[in-house]
């Protein structure tokens, strides 16, 4: 039989990295909007805008044509940010063959609808198996070959097992999980907490306070995640605690950097204008607070982050607010 054909849509840092991983194991094509990006990937095996100085797998091919990208696609990987996820799928719908599994890489929630990315896949591409690849995966580290692990989450274990080898390597271990809701919520929710950790970093609050933010952050992620139908255990796994830790700790995390910028007194508009990448936690923070309201879940850290994002108060006041976490805590659960 012919080799599997993987198509990745979106050539940001993580889409490009996942495409480079898949190119080791399958015939892989990445779609980028910009012709200059496509040329650079095809000719120089690099993507300098997002992964400066790093080499991509030599077999990875790129195209600006969505038709070409989807023509022979067996597995579709969505590497576009959450705010353009639905619009991209609408373009994909008439071009992709039926039943092709779709894997989301985006760690955000849709504004307005509060949908997870796999819910958007079901709405725009009915009948296609939908899942995600997520975990503690700072793109540069993965592309450099530093050991890491991720989870492919699909409702159907057989499909998850079939997809697992596509992304695996000797230094990139891929686990499977059938808890799609829990696996999918870890990423968006940790991004919001990571903004808070970044603010703490910028303000020099100290390691005890940062550990409090991360640990209590996991508690609120888990509370909301379980209310939305995820399994509690999933949130202590790679897509939950794992991704929360790497994003809060790594100076390369965009969401942590956003928090540090807030601590330096910058506004949301200034921060967004200064970045060439998307920090999903900015937009996700208000969606998370809507969900917290609907489901009656207390999310004190996310609430402070959402207030800072909206410009209602600054990072210093947010951390003053978080002191109430320590002052008011009677029971840890
Ligand atoms: P950032 O979007 O904050 O860079 O997070 C990276 C990430 O999700 C690592 O797993």
């Amino acid at each position: 039989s012919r080799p599997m054909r993987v198509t990745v849509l979106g050539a940001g840092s993580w889409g490009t990295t996942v495409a480079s991983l898949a190119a080791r194991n399958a015939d892989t094509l990445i779609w980028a909007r910009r012709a200059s990006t496509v040329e650079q990937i095809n000719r120089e095996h690099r993507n300098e805008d997002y992964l400066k100085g790093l080499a991509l797998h030599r077999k990875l091919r790129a195209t600006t044509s969505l038709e070409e990208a989807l023509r022979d696609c067996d597995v579709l990987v969505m590497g576009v940010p959450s705010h353009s996820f639905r619009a991209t799928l609408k373009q994909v719908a008439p071009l992709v063959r039926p039943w092709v599994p779709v894997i989301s890489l985006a760690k955000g929630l849709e504004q307005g609808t509060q949908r997870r990315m796999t819910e958007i896949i079901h709405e725009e591409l009915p009948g296609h198996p939908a899942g995600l690849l997520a975990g503690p995966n700072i793109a540069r580290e993965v592309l450099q070959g530093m050991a890491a692990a991720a989870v492919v989450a699909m409702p159907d274990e057989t499909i998850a097992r079939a997809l697992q080898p596509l992304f695996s390597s000797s230094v990139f271990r891929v686990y499977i999980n059938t808890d799609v809701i829990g696996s999918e919520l870890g990423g968006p929710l940790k991004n919001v907490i990571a903004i808070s950790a970044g603010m703490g970093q910028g303000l020099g609050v100290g390691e005890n306070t940062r550990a409090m933010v991360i640990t209590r952050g996991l508690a609120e992620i888990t509370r909301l995640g379980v209310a939305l139908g995820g399994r509690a255990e999933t949130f202590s796994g790679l897509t939950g605690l794992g991704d929360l830790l790497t994003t809060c700790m790594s100076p390369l995390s965009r969401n942590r950097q956003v928090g540090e910028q807030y601590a330096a007194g910058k506004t949301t508009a200034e921060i967004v204008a200064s970045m060439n990448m998307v920090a999903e936690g900015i937009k996700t923070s208000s969606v998370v607070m809507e969900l917290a309201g609907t489901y009656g879940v207390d999310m004190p850290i996310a609430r402070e982050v959402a207030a800072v994002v909206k410009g209602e108060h600054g990072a210093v006041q947010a951390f003053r607010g978080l002191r109430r976490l320590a002052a008011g805590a009677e029971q840890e659960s």
Side-chain angles (χ1 to χ4, degrees), residues 152-230:
V152 166
M154 299 288 296
D156 181 331
E157 191 176 325
T158 312
I159 300 178
R161 284 203 190 284
L163 296 172
Q164 189 178 23
L166 288 178
F167 307 104
S168 300
S169 78
S170 58
V171 289
F172 192 73
R173 187 177 175 101
V174 180
Y175 293 80
I176 60 173
N177 193 337
T178 53
D179 177 14
V180 172
I181 298 177
S183 304
E184 186 163 28
L185 286 171
L189 299 178
K190 65 80 187 172
N191 280 337
V192 178
I193 305 300
I195 293 178
S196 174
M199 290 195 286
Q201 182 76 26
L203 295 173
V205 295
E207 300 305 332
N208 294 340
T209 306
R210 289 214 301 150
M212 173 183 81
V213 166
I214 294 171
T215 309
R216 298 311 300 160
L218 181 63
E220 60 184 71
I221 288 174
T222 306
R223 278 200 295 271
L224 182 64
V226 168
L228 291 170

Side-chain angles (χ1 to χ4, degrees), residues 10-26:
S13 57
W14 188 227
T16 304
T17 299
V18 170
S20 188
L21 285 175
R24 302 166 58 98
N25 304 316

